[in-house]
Amino acid sequence: ALTASTAQLQAWMQSDLQRYFGYRVHWETRNISCLILTVDDTSMIKPKGDSSNSITSDIEVNWNNVSLPEMAKYLEVATNYFYSPYPIRYESSFTGLVGGIHFTTDVYNYKSLNKALEAYHIHFRLESRLIKMLVIQDPVSASLSLIEK
């Protein structure tokens, strides 16, 4: 089986967008606003038991035996953050599992979510970051940027 590197796949994608649709395509780094998930103390969020739980909705969070990167992904795909103009980024060196996190709040309001998460020493803030993104320019209309996730 042939395997391709990320760089090869990206080059093929760029080539296909240019060849089949006539788009001008290039990568660039831009300073954009992102929702940043961090943790500064994991002693409050140890998993409770062996069961895994990942309820994430626009009004409720119930996480047990999940990783913090999984939490970021749940927010991104299971709530209205899917439609957010801000990408969600996890920025911490902690790689273990966490748990015992349960609350109700307006999850889609990042300030309300941050306030609820602070009880667990987790933070969810809007901050600027340099992000590598694919810029797709239609020769006829305005450009469209896609963020590398």
Side-chain angles (χ1 to χ4, degrees), residues 22-139:
Y23 294 134
R24 292 186 309 252
V25 182
H26 67 277
W27 288 95
E28 63 183 56
T29 300
R30 293 185 180 178
N31 192 18
I32 64 168
S33 296
C34 302
L35 290 164
I36 308 297
L37 182 68
T38 60
V39 61
D40 51 32
D41 178 7
T42 58
S43 65
M44 298 283 296
I45 50 177
K46 295 188 183 307
K48 309 290 188 229
D50 294 332
S51 66
S52 180
N53 194 11
S54 60
I55 296 171
T56 310
S57 72
D58 289 324
I59 59 168
E60 179 183 16
V61 165
N62 190 352
W63 292 320
N64 193 51
N65 277 326
V66 297
S67 70
L68 290 165
E70 286 174 321
M71 289 168 46
K73 186 56 72 182
Y74 295 147
L75 287 170
E76 198 166 50
V77 300
T79 70
N80 278 325
Y81 285 110
F82 181 81
Y83 304 104
S84 172
Y86 310 116
I88 296 176
R89 305 204 30 110
Y90 172 65
E91 295 182 357
S92 180
S93 59
F94 180 74
T95 58
L97 298 178
V98 299
I101 300 169
H102 182 251
F103 55 84
T104 57
T105 191
D106 180 2
V107 173
Y108 190 58
N109 179 322
Y110 77 90
K111 291 178 182 178
S112 296
L113 179 57
N114 182 58
K115 185 173 181 174
L117 287 170
E118 283 181 341
Y120 302 95
H121 301 278
I122 301 171
H123 308 284
F124 192 65
R125 299 181 181 127
L126 187 64
E127 299 178 3
S128 292
R129 293 292 186 271
L130 288 174
I131 304 293
K132 182 180 176 184
M133 62 179 53
L134 182 65
V135 178
I136 303 170
Q137 294 175 308
D138 183 337

Side-chain angles (χ1 to χ4, degrees), residues 10-27 134-137 139:
Q10 288 174 343
W12 292 337
M13 178 181 61
Q14 284 178 259
S15 176
D16 287 348
L17 286 167
Q18 289 168 340
R19 180 182 14 215
Y20 296 115
F21 302 102
Y23 294 134
R24 292 186 309 252
V25 182
H26 67 277
W27 288 95
L134 182 65
V135 178
I136 303 170
Q137 294 175 308

